[in-house]
Amino acid sequence: MGWDAPRGDSRATGNQAPNVEATVERTFSHLRTLDGNTPQTGGVQAPEAPLTLEDLYRQHRMRLVRLAILLVDDPATAEDVVQEAFTGLHRNWGGLRDGAAAVGYLRTAVVNGSRSVLRRRKTAREYQPPHLTTARSAESLAMLTAEHQAVVSALGQLPPRQREVLVLRYYGGLSEQEIAESTGISRGTVKSTASRALDALQKALKV
């Protein structure tokens, strides 16, 4: 499942670090299974995407919470981020074309909300990152192997943008273009960011 190399970059993530990419894919595939999240066309059910807010909440809330947890490392904060995303969706419901557009709105809102959380943490002098044992649910940790826990832990050490790109790709199942739209960066930046992120994980995991 390699990506094309960024323009001007001779490396391709699929050839550059096949072992780490396979390791990351195994971990996120396991998390998707735990969360009942099987990616379909950017993680959206189409063309039967739900058109009501209640359906969207029921079908997408858990995967969005996991997405936020992987970005902010704290379940309670992740819940708040997702709740705020759905609140924003409710306010903007009339301007959305269909269920697919609504899911795209939610995903982008979760990414932006997570970024805001991380910015506030960075400026809070007394902030202490949550310990790994409290950063994710006990049920999820109990069902993760040592390899998967190592990947999730290493992911948490990446810069926010690198973490966003890998989470959206390997957990969310998004294409490069969809990641670019969700994060507000160019497709080329998505590619180069993914390459750097996999390099960093390869060094951290020694695979």
Side-chain angles (χ1 to χ4, degrees):
M1 193 182 291
W3 294 9
D4 293 335
R7 182 170 296 178
D9 188 339
S10 61
R11 300 171 305 171
T13 57
N15 296 323
Q16 145 212 359
N19 291 334
V20 72
E21 190 168 13
T23 299
V24 170
E25 174 57 36
R26 283 196 301 272
T27 294
F28 282 109
S29 177
H30 184 66
L31 288 173
R32 289 195 303 267
T33 299
L34 291 180
D35 299 337
N37 177 11
T38 302
Q40 306 173 15
T41 314
V44 180
Q45 286 186 312
E48 297 88 7
L51 295 177
T52 70
L53 192 59
E54 291 78 10
D55 284 341
L56 284 165
Y57 189 85
R58 184 179 66 254
Q59 295 188 22
H60 296 281
R61 176 183 169 277
M62 285 307 300
R63 72 185 62 179
L64 290 168
V65 169
R66 171 71 73 179
L67 176 68
I69 289 174
L70 289 167
L71 296 177
V72 303
D73 293 322
D74 179 63
T77 302
E79 292 272 4
D80 290 343
V81 167
V82 172
Q83 188 61 45
E84 182 59 33
F86 273 102
T87 299
L89 177 64
H90 177 70
R91 289 195 298 263
N92 293 280
W93 185 250
L96 295 168
R97 301 183 308 277
D98 51 31
V103 174
Y105 174 95
L106 287 168
R107 193 165 51 224
T108 300
V110 168
V111 169
N112 289 336
S114 298
R115 285 177 177 174
S116 296
V117 167
L118 296 177
R119 280 196 298 269
R120 289 195 296 271
R121 285 181 183 173
K122 189 174 181 180
T123 58
R125 281 191 248 172
E126 297 181 0
Y127 169 70
Q128 293 294 326
H131 191 273
L132 181 62
T133 57
T134 60
R136 294 164 184 89
S137 72
E139 179 182 0
S140 293
L141 278 179
M143 301 180 76
L144 293 181
T145 64
E147 177 191 64
H148 296 330
Q149 290 192 39
V151 171
V152 173
S153 179
L155 184 78
Q157 305 307 310
L158 294 178
R161 179 174 289 181
Q162 292 183 15
R163 194 191 313 191
E164 288 171 5
V165 168
L166 291 192
V167 169
L168 289 170
R169 176 65 181 91
Y170 293 101
Y171 179 74
L174 304 191
S175 67
E176 292 169 356
Q177 183 59 40
E178 289 167 329
I179 294 171
E181 292 170 357
S182 295
T183 57
I185 60 179
S186 71
R187 187 171 175 178
T189 300
V190 169
K191 293 179 181 179
S192 60
T193 299
S195 180
R196 289 194 299 271
L198 288 176
D199 274 343
L201 286 184
Q202 185 175 31
K203 292 175 183 175
L205 297 171
K206 297 180 174 62
V207 295

